[in-house]
Amino acid sequence: MHNVLVVDDEKEIRDAIEIYLRSIENIKIIKAGDGLEALDALECNEVHLILLDIMMPNLDGIRTCMKIREKRDIPIIMLSAKSEDTDKILGLNIGADDYITKPFNPLELVARVKSQLRRYINFGNFPKSSSDQIVIDGLVINKARHEVSVDGSPVKLTPIEYDILLLLAENRGRVFPSNEIYERVWNEPSFKTENTVSVHIRRLRKKIEINPKEPRYVKVVWGVGYKIEK
């Protein structure tokens, strides 16, 4: 059973999302009316995905996301009536994995929920005995365990950050445009997704690079894309 926490101050929206997601097998909906209720729900339940509204009373979605990211790497899809890029980038910068603008298409919502759940569940279900690794200088990626370390210190990545790193590491020397990274990691067509990819790359660099402004690993080829050198 996969538990999805729906956090929105409007009961009608929480109920509508529950109806939309009924088409997904083995899913249970947990509801919260604001960020404080969401944090309480996380303490009492195993949650595999969070749908988190931005504009809420008591504790808004931005601050709630930051609180969650202090302890957990659960996928977070932000929900907002705002469609400006600045709001989307803000949500991604503070730790969200995806973003949907209200009013959303039910089919798109279901597809994004399925994609994030599949990535998160696969990220956690790995064999314990294999030692299949990629080693690039001090960067070590254990593909079997979905673990990453830099210079011997473990690095905690979200599933999307891990998938981007693995894509570049398995294809060292090849430059990937942002749209191709999006299509291969998110598994959906790319449309105006450059900012989404760049934000995730920025977050990834902060975690694996000693100096993100002078990266050892994930490098940009201006006007083309990103790569890890051979």
Side-chain angles (χ1 to χ4, degrees):
M1 182 66 68
H2 303 152
N3 296 330
V4 175
L5 175 59
V6 178
V7 189
D8 198 295
D9 59 321
E10 296 186 40
K11 181 179 183 300
E12 295 78 7
I13 292 179
R14 297 197 301 269
D15 292 344
I17 290 175
E18 182 177 25
I19 292 172
Y20 297 154
L21 298 186
R22 283 177 182 170
S23 63
I24 304 176
E25 294 182 1
N26 298 321
I27 195 169
K28 176 185 176 183
I29 303 299
I30 303 168
K31 301 177 186 178
D34 58 41
L36 294 177
E37 290 184 12
L39 295 178
D40 287 341
L42 284 171
E43 294 298 326
C44 303
N45 301 274
E46 180 182 5
V47 175
H48 305 100
L49 173 69
I50 303 172
L51 296 172
L52 181 62
D53 187 33
I54 290 183
M55 302 298 292
M56 296 184 296
N58 299 322
L59 188 66
D60 63 32
I62 296 297
R63 290 184 293 166
T64 301
C65 183
M66 294 173 68
K67 289 275 189 184
I68 293 170
R69 281 291 175 254
E70 290 175 1
K71 298 180 179 179
R72 298 176 172 88
D73 290 323
I74 304 167
I76 299 174
I77 300 177
M78 303 295 287
L79 306 174
S80 175
K82 297 180 179 180
S83 59
E84 292 84 355
D85 281 346
T86 53
D87 298 297
K88 180 176 182 179
I89 293 171
L90 175 60
L92 295 173
N93 268 326
I94 52 89
D97 296 281
D98 207 347
Y99 186 103
I100 297 180
T101 303
K102 300 177 185 176
F104 40 74
N105 182 309
L107 294 178
E108 179 186 6
L109 176 67
V110 169
R112 290 179 182 269
V113 166
K114 284 183 175 180
S115 176
Q116 292 293 338
L117 278 175
R118 181 171 58 251
R119 179 176 287 109
Y120 184 64
I121 298 303
N122 290 340
F123 190 73
N125 293 339
F126 42 78
K128 301 295 185 180
S129 58
S130 177
S131 59
D132 189 12
Q133 291 186 339
I134 297 175
V135 179
I136 307 170
D137 294 331
L139 174 67
V140 178
I141 305 171
N142 189 311
K143 295 167 61 178
R145 295 180 177 274
H146 287 231
E147 293 175 349
V148 176
S149 65
V150 177
D151 297 331
S153 298
V155 177
K156 201 172 185 181
L157 301 181
T158 67
I160 282 183
E161 292 164 357
Y162 176 86
D163 285 349
I164 292 174
L165 178 61
L166 185 61
L167 173 66
L168 298 178
E170 288 185 324
N171 298 275
R172 275 169 284 177
R174 177 181 171 186
V175 181
F176 284 87
S178 294
N179 64 331
E180 186 175 356
I181 292 175
Y182 187 90
E183 290 177 353
R184 294 184 64 160
V185 171
W186 276 260
N187 293 314
E188 61 184 44
S190 171
F191 178 71
K192 295 183 178 180
T193 55
E194 291 83 2
N195 285 335
T196 299
V197 172
S198 66
V199 169
H200 282 86
I201 292 284
R202 192 179 309 127
R203 284 166 41 187
L204 174 61
R205 277 175 160 176
K206 286 181 179 179
K207 294 181 179 181
I208 68 170
E209 305 284 3
I210 295 175
N211 181 0
K213 294 183 179 179
E214 297 181 4
R216 296 166 61 190
Y217 305 114
V218 180
K219 300 190 176 183
V220 62
V221 179
W222 295 108
V224 183
Y226 303 93
K227 69 173 181 176
I228 291 179
E229 292 181 347
K230 285 187 178 180

Short mmCIF file of all heavy atoms in Angstrom, two decimals, residues 109-140:
data_model
loop_
_atom_site.label_atom_id
_atom_site.label_comp_id
_atom_site.label_asym_id
_atom_site.label_seq_id
_atom_site.Cartn_x
_atom_site.Cartn_y
_atom_site.Cartn_z
N LEU A 109 -2.22 14.96 -13.26
CA LEU A 109 -1.97 14.73 -11.83
C LEU A 109 -1.70 13.26 -11.57
O LEU A 109 -0.72 12.90 -10.88
CB LEU A 109 -3.17 15.20 -11.01
CG LEU A 109 -3.08 14.93 -9.50
CD1 LEU A 109 -1.98 15.76 -8.86
CD2 LEU A 109 -4.43 15.21 -8.82
N VAL A 110 -2.53 12.38 -12.10
CA VAL A 110 -2.36 10.94 -11.89
C VAL A 110 -1.03 10.48 -12.46
O VAL A 110 -0.29 9.70 -11.83
CB VAL A 110 -3.53 10.17 -12.53
CG1 VAL A 110 -3.22 8.67 -12.55
CG2 VAL A 110 -4.83 10.42 -11.76
N ALA A 111 -0.68 10.96 -13.65
CA ALA A 111 0.57 10.54 -14.29
C ALA A 111 1.78 10.97 -13.46
O ALA A 111 2.74 10.20 -13.29
CB ALA A 111 0.67 11.14 -15.70
N ARG A 112 1.75 12.18 -12.93
CA ARG A 112 2.89 12.67 -12.14
C ARG A 112 2.99 11.94 -10.81
O ARG A 112 4.10 11.66 -10.34
CB ARG A 112 2.77 14.18 -11.94
CG ARG A 112 3.01 14.98 -13.21
CD ARG A 112 2.86 16.46 -12.98
NE ARG A 112 3.03 17.20 -14.21
CZ ARG A 112 4.21 17.68 -14.64
NH1 ARG A 112 5.30 17.47 -13.93
NH2 ARG A 112 4.29 18.35 -15.77
N VAL A 113 1.85 11.64 -10.22
CA VAL A 113 1.86 10.88 -8.96
C VAL A 113 2.43 9.48 -9.20
O VAL A 113 3.28 9.01 -8.44
CB VAL A 113 0.44 10.79 -8.37
CG1 VAL A 113 0.38 9.74 -7.26
CG2 VAL A 113 0.02 12.16 -7.81
N LYS A 114 2.00 8.82 -10.26
CA LYS A 114 2.52 7.49 -10.58
C LYS A 114 4.02 7.53 -10.80
O LYS A 114 4.76 6.66 -10.33
CB LYS A 114 1.81 6.94 -11.82
CG LYS A 114 0.40 6.43 -11.59
CD LYS A 114 -0.15 5.84 -12.89
CE LYS A 114 -1.51 5.22 -12.69
NZ LYS A 114 -2.04 4.65 -13.95
N SER A 115 4.48 8.54 -11.54
CA SER A 115 5.90 8.65 -11.85
C SER A 115 6.73 8.83 -10.59
O SER A 115 7.76 8.15 -10.39
CB SER A 115 6.14 9.83 -12.81
OG SER A 115 7.51 10.01 -13.05
N GLN A 116 6.30 9.73 -9.71
CA GLN A 116 7.06 9.97 -8.47
C GLN A 116 7.01 8.77 -7.54
O GLN A 116 8.01 8.43 -6.89
CB GLN A 116 6.52 11.21 -7.76
CG GLN A 116 6.77 12.52 -8.50
CD GLN A 116 8.24 12.87 -8.57
OE1 GLN A 116 9.05 12.41 -7.77
NE2 GLN A 116 8.61 13.69 -9.55
N LEU A 117 5.87 8.11 -7.45
CA LEU A 117 5.76 6.92 -6.60
C LEU A 117 6.67 5.81 -7.11
O LEU A 117 7.37 5.16 -6.33
CB LEU A 117 4.32 6.42 -6.55
CG LEU A 117 3.37 7.11 -5.58
CD1 LEU A 117 1.95 6.56 -5.75
CD2 LEU A 117 3.82 6.91 -4.13
N ARG A 118 6.65 5.59 -8.42
CA ARG A 118 7.47 4.54 -9.00
C ARG A 118 8.95 4.80 -8.74
O ARG A 118 9.70 3.91 -8.35
CB ARG A 118 7.21 4.45 -10.51
CG ARG A 118 8.01 3.38 -11.21
CD ARG A 118 7.54 3.21 -12.64
NE ARG A 118 7.64 4.43 -13.41
CZ ARG A 118 6.61 5.16 -13.81
NH1 ARG A 118 5.38 4.78 -13.52
NH2 ARG A 118 6.79 6.27 -14.51
N ARG A 119 9.37 6.05 -8.91
CA ARG A 119 10.77 6.40 -8.68
C ARG A 119 11.14 6.20 -7.21
O ARG A 119 12.20 5.66 -6.89
CB ARG A 119 11.02 7.85 -9.11
CG ARG A 119 12.44 8.31 -8.88
CD ARG A 119 12.66 9.71 -9.42
NE ARG A 119 12.71 9.70 -10.87
CZ ARG A 119 11.76 10.20 -11.66
NH1 ARG A 119 10.68 10.73 -11.13
NH2 ARG A 119 11.87 10.16 -12.97
N TYR A 120 10.29 6.64 -6.31
CA TYR A 120 10.60 6.55 -4.88
C TYR A 120 10.62 5.11 -4.40
O TYR A 120 11.51 4.70 -3.65
CB TYR A 120 9.58 7.36 -4.08
CG TYR A 120 9.88 7.41 -2.60
CD1 TYR A 120 11.04 8.03 -2.13
CD2 TYR A 120 9.01 6.85 -1.67
CE1 TYR A 120 11.31 8.09 -0.77
CE2 TYR A 120 9.28 6.91 -0.32
CZ TYR A 120 10.43 7.54 0.13
OH TYR A 120 10.71 7.59 1.46
N ILE A 121 9.63 4.32 -4.82
CA ILE A 121 9.57 2.93 -4.39
C ILE A 121 10.77 2.16 -4.94
O ILE A 121 11.41 1.38 -4.23
CB ILE A 121 8.25 2.27 -4.84
CG1 ILE A 121 7.05 3.00 -4.19
CG2 ILE A 121 8.25 0.80 -4.46
CD1 ILE A 121 7.10 3.05 -2.68
N ASN A 122 11.11 2.36 -6.22
CA ASN A 122 12.27 1.69 -6.80
C ASN A 122 13.57 2.15 -6.15
O ASN A 122 14.52 1.38 -6.00
CB ASN A 122 12.33 1.96 -8.31
CG ASN A 122 11.23 1.26 -9.06
OD1 ASN A 122 10.65 0.30 -8.57
ND2 ASN A 122 10.93 1.73 -10.25
N PHE A 123 13.60 3.40 -5.73
CA PHE A 123 14.79 3.97 -5.09
C PHE A 123 15.07 3.27 -3.76
O PHE A 123 16.22 3.09 -3.37
CB PHE A 123 14.53 5.46 -4.81
CG PHE A 123 15.76 6.21 -4.37
CD1 PHE A 123 16.76 6.51 -5.27
CD2 PHE A 123 15.89 6.65 -3.06
CE1 PHE A 123 17.88 7.22 -4.87
CE2 PHE A 123 17.01 7.36 -2.65
CZ PHE A 123 18.00 7.65 -3.57
N GLY A 124 14.02 2.81 -3.10
CA GLY A 124 14.21 2.17 -1.80
C GLY A 124 14.30 0.67 -1.85
O GLY A 124 14.78 0.04 -0.91
N ASN A 125 13.85 0.04 -2.93
CA ASN A 125 13.85 -1.42 -3.02
C ASN A 125 15.05 -1.89 -3.82
O ASN A 125 15.00 -2.00 -5.04
CB ASN A 125 12.55 -1.90 -3.71
CG ASN A 125 11.35 -1.61 -2.84
OD1 ASN A 125 11.47 -1.43 -1.64
ND2 ASN A 125 10.18 -1.58 -3.47
N PHE A 126 16.15 -2.18 -3.13
CA PHE A 126 17.36 -2.58 -3.82
C PHE A 126 17.98 -3.78 -3.13
O PHE A 126 17.82 -3.98 -1.94
CB PHE A 126 18.38 -1.43 -3.87
CG PHE A 126 18.49 -0.69 -2.57
CD1 PHE A 126 19.20 -1.21 -1.49
CD2 PHE A 126 17.87 0.54 -2.43
CE1 PHE A 126 19.30 -0.52 -0.30
CE2 PHE A 126 17.97 1.23 -1.22
CZ PHE A 126 18.69 0.70 -0.17
N PRO A 127 18.69 -4.63 -3.88
CA PRO A 127 19.34 -5.78 -3.26
C PRO A 127 20.48 -5.34 -2.36
O PRO A 127 21.17 -4.37 -2.65
CB PRO A 127 19.87 -6.57 -4.47
CG PRO A 127 20.00 -5.57 -5.55
CD PRO A 127 18.90 -4.57 -5.33
N LYS A 128 20.70 -6.06 -1.27
CA LYS A 128 21.71 -5.68 -0.30
C LYS A 128 23.07 -6.30 -0.58
O LYS A 128 24.05 -5.94 0.02
CB LYS A 128 21.25 -6.11 1.11
CG LYS A 128 19.93 -5.49 1.55
CD LYS A 128 20.04 -4.00 1.70
CE LYS A 128 18.75 -3.41 2.26
NZ LYS A 128 18.82 -1.96 2.43
N SER A 129 23.14 -7.28 -1.49
CA SER A 129 24.37 -8.04 -1.64
C SER A 129 25.27 -7.55 -2.78
O SER A 129 26.45 -7.83 -2.80
CB SER A 129 24.04 -9.51 -1.88
OG SER A 129 23.23 -9.65 -3.03
N SER A 130 24.69 -6.82 -3.73
CA SER A 130 25.48 -6.41 -4.89
C SER A 130 26.39 -5.23 -4.55
O SER A 130 26.10 -4.44 -3.69
CB SER A 130 24.55 -6.02 -6.04
OG SER A 130 25.28 -5.55 -7.14
N SER A 131 27.50 -5.12 -5.27
CA SER A 131 28.42 -4.01 -5.06
C SER A 131 28.72 -3.31 -6.38
O SER A 131 29.83 -2.83 -6.60
CB SER A 131 29.72 -4.50 -4.42
OG SER A 131 30.33 -5.48 -5.24
N ASP A 132 27.76 -3.28 -7.27
CA ASP A 132 27.91 -2.65 -8.57
C ASP A 132 28.12 -1.15 -8.36
O ASP A 132 27.24 -0.46 -7.86
CB ASP A 132 26.66 -2.91 -9.40
CG ASP A 132 26.83 -2.47 -10.84
OD1 ASP A 132 27.97 -2.17 -11.24
OD2 ASP A 132 25.83 -2.42 -11.56
N GLN A 133 29.29 -0.64 -8.74
CA GLN A 133 29.63 0.74 -8.43
C GLN A 133 30.16 1.49 -9.64
O GLN A 133 30.73 0.91 -10.55
CB GLN A 133 30.68 0.80 -7.31
CG GLN A 133 30.18 0.37 -5.96
CD GLN A 133 31.23 0.59 -4.89
OE1 GLN A 133 32.43 0.69 -5.18
NE2 GLN A 133 30.82 0.67 -3.63
N ILE A 134 29.97 2.80 -9.59
CA ILE A 134 30.64 3.72 -10.51
C ILE A 134 31.54 4.59 -9.65
O ILE A 134 31.08 5.18 -8.68
CB ILE A 134 29.62 4.59 -11.28
CG1 ILE A 134 28.73 3.73 -12.16
CG2 ILE A 134 30.35 5.64 -12.11
CD1 ILE A 134 27.63 4.51 -12.86
N VAL A 135 32.82 4.66 -10.01
CA VAL A 135 33.77 5.45 -9.25
C VAL A 135 34.38 6.51 -10.17
O VAL A 135 34.96 6.18 -11.22
CB VAL A 135 34.89 4.57 -8.65
CG1 VAL A 135 35.88 5.45 -7.88
CG2 VAL A 135 34.30 3.50 -7.76
N ILE A 136 34.22 7.77 -9.80
CA ILE A 136 34.78 8.89 -10.56
C ILE A 136 35.56 9.75 -9.58
O ILE A 136 34.97 10.54 -8.83
CB ILE A 136 33.68 9.71 -11.25
CG1 ILE A 136 32.77 8.82 -12.09
CG2 ILE A 136 34.29 10.82 -12.10
CD1 ILE A 136 31.53 9.51 -12.62
N ASP A 137 36.85 9.57 -9.54
CA ASP A 137 37.69 10.24 -8.54
C ASP A 137 37.14 9.91 -7.15
O ASP A 137 37.04 8.76 -6.78
CB ASP A 137 37.74 11.75 -8.80
CG ASP A 137 38.45 12.06 -10.11
OD1 ASP A 137 39.32 11.27 -10.51
OD2 ASP A 137 38.13 13.09 -10.73
N GLY A 138 36.73 10.94 -6.40
CA GLY A 138 36.22 10.70 -5.05
C GLY A 138 34.74 10.42 -5.00
O GLY A 138 34.17 10.16 -3.93
N LEU A 139 34.06 10.47 -6.15
CA LEU A 139 32.62 10.22 -6.21
C LEU A 139 32.36 8.73 -6.44
O LEU A 139 32.86 8.15 -7.40
CB LEU A 139 32.00 11.03 -7.35
CG LEU A 139 30.52 10.79 -7.65
CD1 LEU A 139 29.64 11.27 -6.51
CD2 LEU A 139 30.12 11.49 -8.96
N VAL A 140 31.58 8.13 -5.55
CA VAL A 140 31.24 6.71 -5.66
C VAL A 140 29.73 6.56 -5.68
O VAL A 140 29.03 7.04 -4.78
CB VAL A 140 31.83 5.89 -4.48
CG1 VAL A 140 31.42 4.42 -4.61
CG2 VAL A 140 33.34 6.02 -4.44
#
